[in-house]
Amino acid sequence: MNLELPIYLDNNATTPMDPRVLEAMLPYFVEKFGNAASRNHSFGWVAEEAVDYAREQVAKLINADPKEIILTSGATEADNLAIKGVFEMYATKGDHVITCTTEHKAVLDTCKHIEKLGGHVTYLDVKEDGLIDLEELKNAITDKTILISIMYGNNETGVIQPVREISAIARKHGILFFTDATQAVGKIPVDVNADGIDLMAFSAHKMYGPKGVGALYVRRKNPRVKVTAQMDGGGHERGMRSGTLNVPAIVGFGKACELCMNEMESEAKRLSVMRDRLETSLMELEETYVNGTREHRLPHTANISFKYVEGEGLMMGFNKNIALSSGSACTSASLEPSYVLKALGLGDDLAHSSLRFGLGRFTTDEQIDFTITAIKDTVIKLREMSPLWEMFKEGVDINAIEWAHH
Ligand SMILES: *Cc1c(COP(=O)(O)O)cnc(C)c1O
């Protein structure tokens, strides 16, 4: 068997583009190059028609109206537009936003920004299983609360928040509900009406489309939601997001949505079976823990800690033959382990020893077989060299040891 290395298991960071998406995009670079806002000639009409069609494909996947889709450069921009846009638009109503500690940085840093502008933000903790506590959510609501921003599925753990319960609480209090659904859309059924979502961010490159394009869903009725534009200019996207549309990328986004819509059901099954097999095999190792609830979870994600082994060391151990992320991967220049895992109550040791497996459309059973063997071998080998592991095996209570501080 000829297995091509390295194996890509970092689909939560980005997915490879589906060749069928590329094919749909190609005519729109050179041949059909028009500006979708050019109203006076056929070059513009052809581009506009392509964008309209893509917008329908995008809307259909989430059961929205095409008019409710604001095309952006991706989920980061959509997160910014949703939170800052609501904060500005509804300033006379209130200045309080509720979010949670395991959100993506695009949400957390945007919330920090509105705090600097004088707004107030409540960051809800999550329980050990990664889920927010709905009672805490209810208790956090004040008469100044204008927005609840809770993500759909977590990018590190795959934990799916109780979106319908959250939206029901928001509705009851007349508060808007925004969700960053970047990891969920295209992977599991997301229905903005059944789920009671008012605003929702998602991105093409997490669902086999191109990078640099995404959308903000903005509800148009019951209630009619508006956001203040964060990008001023020609008044594109119903005035909420100016800038000439990236037609080839948008066409690709539409195609990616259509493919996900058609293939989601069988693909979610295939991925969860593969993910469970990976997890069950790796759990045969001692002192191995799955992070986050295994019950409410995206089908393509597993986050596992291998105690007494460093995530980065593990990756070196299998010679970078498997491309994935570890909880000790340093965002920014810090050595801080994943804030998401720490929010679940993991200590530094367990957070540092975690790996995130992000499976995808092009992941095969052979790749999973290779991964299971490589990781098991490496964990066993590294533990054999670890004095901590030796102490653990001798029955020393490692948590009781006083470490020298420096
Ligand atoms: C990837 C990701 C983002 C950022 O999306 P971009 O399109 O790359 O800006 C935001 N939120 C979540 C949950 C993500 O996984």
Side-chain angles (χ1 to χ4, degrees), residues 18 44 95 111 313 334 376 393:
D18 191 299
D95 62 357
C111 286
S334 80
K376 275 186 160 175
K393 293 306 271 182

Side-chain angles (χ1 to χ4, degrees), residues 61-63 152 181 184-186 188-192 195 197 200 264:
L61 177 62
I62 60 167
N63 192 27
Y152 211 114
V185 170
I188 56 170
V190 171
D191 178 325
V192 289
D195 292 343
I197 295 164
M200 181 171 81
M264 184 189 308

